[in-house]
Amino acid sequence: MYALRVKNLIKTYRNGVEALKGVDLDVHEGGFFGLIGSNGAGKTTMIGIITGLVNKTGGSIEVFGLDRERHLNRVKKHIGLVPQEFNFNMFEKVQDIIIAQAGYFGVPRSQAIRDSEFVLKRLGLWEKRDTVSRQLSGGMKRRLMIARALIHKPKLLFLDEPTAGVDVELRFSMWEYLKELNQSGMTIFLTTHYLEEAEQLCRNVAIIKNGKIIIHDHINNLLASLEEETYVIHVRDTSAVNLLENYHIRILDTSTFEVDLNKKGSLNDFIEQLSQKGIKLVDIRPKGNRLERLFLKLLKD
Ligand SMILES: Nc1ncnc2c1ncn2[C@@H]1O[C@H](COP(=O)(O)OP(=O)(O)O)[C@@H](O)[C@H]1O
Ligand SMILES: [Mg+2]
C-alpha cells in the first residue's frame, strides 16, 4: 500500500516559472521519505500541491489509494503539514492555537482540549500552554508547529525543511522525535538540504533538481552507487608518493595526501602499492560525508 503516489506532476507559476516538470514519486505506507534539493528546486511547491496550498498545472496525486481531487476531504484528514515558516498567530496562546486547528478538522471542542493536552505534553510544551506563542523560544515554536500538525492524528506527515536554521542540539532531539513518530506507524515525508539529515532519517530518498526528479531510490543503493571515494592518507613521509603511478593523488603536506579510488576493493590494492614502494602508512580515512559528495556529483551533471 502506498501512502502517496504522485504521477507526472506539473506546476507552472503564472510568471512562467516551471517549478515542477513532470514529477513521479511513490512513498510506501510507514515509510520515511526524504526529498532532497537545493533552494528553488521545487520542494515547497511539491508539498504545497499535495497539501492543497498550491494549484497544480497537471498530473495526479493519490493518498492512501484515494484520488486527491475526488476525495479531497478524506485526503486532507490523512495529511498533516509542518510548513517551512512559522505561520501561527504570534499573539495567540499555545493551547488555543492547537484547539483552533482541531476545529478546522471538525474535532469537537471537548475532544480537542483532551487531544491538545496529549500532543502538548508529548512535545514538551504543556507548561507553556497559556503562553502567548510570540514569547516561545525558536525551538519551542518549531515544536508548536509539529504539535499543531499532529492534532487531527494524520497518517502522513509532511515537514518542509524542519531543521533549517535549527541549532545542532535541537536538531538531534527533533530527529529522535521524528524517528519515534515513524516507528509508531506514521508515514513521514520531509524535505531537506541537509544531506546528513536524509542519511540519518530516511529509508527512501529522491533528489530533485530544477523541478525534475533525478534519482529516486533506497538510501543504501544511492550511497552504494557512489563509485569514487576520496581517502585522506597519513604516512611517515610523502616524498615517495609520486612513485605511485595511475592514481589521482594530491599531496597536502610532508605526511598527508589524498587519493581518489574509483571502486570498492581498490583500497586494498592501493595499500599494497604503498607498501611495495616502501611508503609507511600511519592512518587512512574516508574524506567527508558520502551523501554530500554524491549530491554534489549529481548536481554537477
Ligand atoms: N508563488 C510563486 N510564484 C512564482 N514562482 C514561484 C512561486 N513560488 C515558488 N516559485 C518558484 O518556483 C521554483 C521552486 O520554488 P520552491 O518550490 O519554493 O523551491 P524549494 O522549496 O525547493 O526551495 C523557484 O524557482 C521559485 O522561485
Ligand atoms: Mg522550500
Side-chain angles (χ1 to χ4, degrees), residues 38-45 84-85 160-161 191:
S38 43
N39 277 334
K43 304 181 297 298
T44 298
T45 299
Q84 208 166 348
E85 314 286 342
D160 197 359
E161 303 207 28
T191 72

Side-chain angles (χ1 to χ4, degrees), residues 4 44-54 61 63 68 72 75-76 79-83 105 156-159:
L4 177 68
T44 298
T45 299
M46 172 97 147
I47 287 189
I49 292 173
I50 299 166
T51 58
L53 301 171
V54 176
I61 298 163
V63 175
R68 202 192 163 288
L72 191 56
V75 163
K76 279 190 173 170
I79 292 179
L81 168 64
V82 183
F105 288 95
L156 171 58
L157 181 66
F158 290 88
L159 300 115

Side-chain angles (χ1 to χ4, degrees), residues 42-251:
K43 304 181 297 298
T44 298
T45 299
M46 172 97 147
I47 287 189
I49 292 173
I50 299 166
T51 58
L53 301 171
V54 176
N55 291 322
K56 65 181 162 69
T57 306
S60 68
I61 298 163
E62 269 182 25
V63 175
F64 296 104
L66 299 168
D67 182 83
R68 202 192 163 288
E69 314 302 306
R70 269 187 290 158
H71 304 279
L72 191 56
N73 288 331
R74 283 170 71 193
V75 163
K76 279 190 173 170
K77 283 189 179 164
H78 287 321
I79 292 179
L81 168 64
V82 183
Q84 208 166 348
E85 314 286 342
F86 299 137
N87 64 351
F88 44 76
N89 181 342
M90 289 285 172
F91 298 95
E92 212 173 344
K93 290 178 184 171
V94 166
Q95 192 171 14
D96 293 342
I97 289 172
I98 305 290
I99 290 170
Q101 179 78 359
Y104 293 133
F105 288 95
V107 179
R109 193 175 160 82
S110 56
Q111 194 194 329
I113 291 171
R114 279 198 306 276
D115 291 352
S116 67
E117 178 174 346
F118 180 79
V119 290
L120 289 173
K121 283 185 173 165
R122 189 64 199 75
L123 281 140
L125 288 170
W126 182 240
E127 257 67 84
K128 300 284 177 186
R129 61 189 176 278
D130 291 324
T131 302
V132 173
S133 66
R134 175 170 50 98
Q135 292 171 1
L136 298 176
S137 71
M140 288 173 181
K141 286 181 182 132
R142 292 265 163 199
R143 282 184 273 142
L144 173 57
M145 296 281 283
I146 297 180
R148 189 185 60 175
L150 295 176
I151 186 62
H152 62 293
K153 305 183 180 98
K155 295 188 340 191
L156 171 58
L157 181 66
F158 290 88
L159 300 115
D160 197 359
E161 303 207 28
T163 60
V166 167
D167 66 50
V168 177
E169 204 176 322
L170 178 62
R171 190 176 305 161
F172 279 111
S173 72
M174 280 193 52
W175 286 352
E176 285 315 306
Y177 184 61
L178 294 178
K179 281 181 198 170
E180 276 177 39
L181 277 180
N182 180 242
Q183 275 153 17
S184 75
M186 190 176 293
T187 308
I188 298 188
F189 181 124
L190 67 76
T191 72
T192 186
H193 57 251
Y194 288 113
L195 306 150
E196 190 197 6
E197 185 157 86
E199 201 169 1
Q200 282 287 326
L201 294 175
C202 303
R203 287 189 289 283
N204 289 286
V205 295
I207 295 180
I208 185 167
K209 185 194 175 190
N210 293 334
K212 277 194 192 138
I213 300 293
I214 53 175
I215 282 210
H216 183 358
D217 206 343
H218 193 283
I219 186 94
N220 293 343
N221 295 340
L222 198 68
L223 294 174
S225 76
L226 182 57
E227 290 160 12
E228 199 166 80
E229 182 107 59
T230 302
Y231 290 90
V232 178
I233 314 232
H234 200 63
V235 291
R236 289 267 180 78
D237 180 4
T238 49
S239 55
V241 163
N242 46 21
L243 296 175
L244 298 162
E245 286 157 14
N246 308 325
Y247 287 103
H248 288 237
I249 283 171
R250 291 171 299 281
I251 294 178

